Amino acid sequence: QVQLVESGGGVVQPGRSLRLSCAASGFIFSTYTMHWVRQAPGKGLEWVAVISYDGSSKYNADSAKGRFTISRDNSKNTLYLQIHSLRAEDTAVYYCARETYSSRAFDYWGQGALVTVSS
Amino acid sequence: DIQMTQSPSSLSASVGDRVTITCRASQGISNYLAWYQQKPGKVPELLIYGASTLQTGVPSRFSGSGSGTDFTLTISSLQPEDVATYYCQKYNSAPWTFGQGTKVEI
C-alpha cells in the first residue's frame, strides 16, 4: 500500500536550518509529481512547493520563495524540503503529498512532521 | 494569483441534514477543483476531484458540482463521522491554493 512517512521535524531555533524528508513506498515514486503542504497550529492548509517526477521542474509558493528548497532522490524514494533561516511563522505540521495521475489533486498524504521554531 | 474563498467558515447542522459548502475562485479554473476532508487530529483526505468526481471509497452522500468560478460540496445526509474541516483546492496551475476551510459540526 502507498505510504508516505515524513521525518526531520522538531524544535529549532530561529535562524537555523532544517531538512524534512518524506520516505515513499508502495508505488513507483519516480513517476509521480510530489508536493509539500503545511498547516500552522489551528490554521488551514497552505501549499508550499511542488517538484516534478524527475526533479527537473520545481515551483514554490510566494511564502516559500528564497528560503525553501524542494528536492528528491528517486534512487532513495525520498522527497526533501530544506528550510533556511527559520522563522516563528514557519511553525507548522509539514505534509508531503502525492499528485494523482488522473488529476492534479493530492491522493495520498503523509502523517506530517511538526516543526516548531522557538528559542 | 487566484484566490479561493469558502463559505461559510463554520456551520452546525443536525444528523440527517443536507449540508452545502461553497467555494469561489477569483478567476475561472474550469473544473480543476478538489475537495478534502480533514477530521480533527487527522491527515487531510481527498474527497472529490475534477469538481464532481468522487475519489474511490468516498461515500455517495458526498457530491460536488460547479465549473469556472463557483463550486459546491454537498453532504446529502450529514453523519456523525462527517464532523471535519473541509477544504477546496484549485489545481489548474501553480500555486495549488486552498480555501480557508469550512468547519462542520453536529
Side-chain angles (χ1 to χ4, degrees):
Chain A
Q1 70 282 20
V2 172
Q3 278 200 308
L4 298 170
V5 179
E6 297 94 339
S7 60
V11 179
V12 187
Q13 292 181 329
R16 308 282 281 195
S17 297
L18 183 77
R19 188 178 80 163
L20 300 173
S21 300
C22 169
S25 60
F27 65 102
I28 304 174
F29 178 71
S30 62
T31 63
Y32 282 85
T33 294
M34 298 294 296
H35 297 254
W36 287 99
V37 176
R38 69 180 180 179
Q39 186 170 36
K43 303 298 184 181
L45 301 172
E46 179 186 14
W47 176 78
V48 174
V50 60
I51 187 167
S52 61
Y53 68 98
D54 61 356
S56 63
S57 179
K58 307 174 186 180
Y59 193 94
N60 285 10
D62 284 347
S63 61
K65 285 178 180 172
R67 297 188 298 116
F68 290 59
T69 303
I70 188 171
S71 62
R72 66 192 297 160
D73 186 338
N74 286 343
S75 68
K76 296 182 178 179
N77 290 340
T78 303
L79 175 72
Y80 302 102
L81 184 69
Q82 180 87 42
I83 312 174
H84 298 285
S85 303
L86 278 154
R87 306 167 180 168
E89 54 264 37
D90 296 322
T91 294
V93 174
Y94 287 76
Y95 297 102
C96 61
R98 188 182 84 166
E99 182 180 303
T100 65
Y101 279 157
S102 57
S103 70
R104 302 190 74 184
F106 304 162
D107 60 349
Y108 284 94
W109 298 60
Q111 87 286 352
L114 176 61
V115 174
T116 302
V117 183
S118 173
S119 55
Chain B
D1 291 346
I2 296 173
Q3 305 303 312
M4 306 300 293
T5 303
Q6 289 181 232
S7 61
S9 298
S10 64
L11 66 89
S12 182
S14 299
V15 173
D17 282 355
R18 183 181 184 88
V19 169
T20 299
I21 299 168
T22 297
C23 177
R24 175 164 290 176
S26 60
Q27 297 175 40
I29 59 171
S30 184
N31 67 336
Y32 295 106
L33 191 282
W35 290 97
Y36 298 87
Q37 176 193 61
Q38 186 177 31
K39 296 182 178 181
K42 301 297 184 181
V43 175
E45 293 186 356
L46 178 62
L47 287 179
I48 288 170
Y49 62 91
S52 61
T53 302
L54 245 60
Q55 175 71 345
T56 302
V58 173
S60 58
R61 63 180 179 274
F62 291 93
S63 64
S65 65
S67 183
T69 60
D70 294 313
F71 303 88
T72 59
L73 171 69
T74 300
I75 308 173
S76 61
S77 177
L78 188 66
Q79 299 302 304
E81 60 266 32
D82 301 334
V83 167
T85 300
Y86 294 83
Y87 296 91
C88 63
Q89 179 204 37
K90 63 167 278 291
Y91 57 85
N92 60 316
S93 62
W96 278 255
T97 308
F98 291 92
Q100 80 277 17
T102 296
K103 187 174 184 179
V104 174
E105 298 175 315
I106 300 280

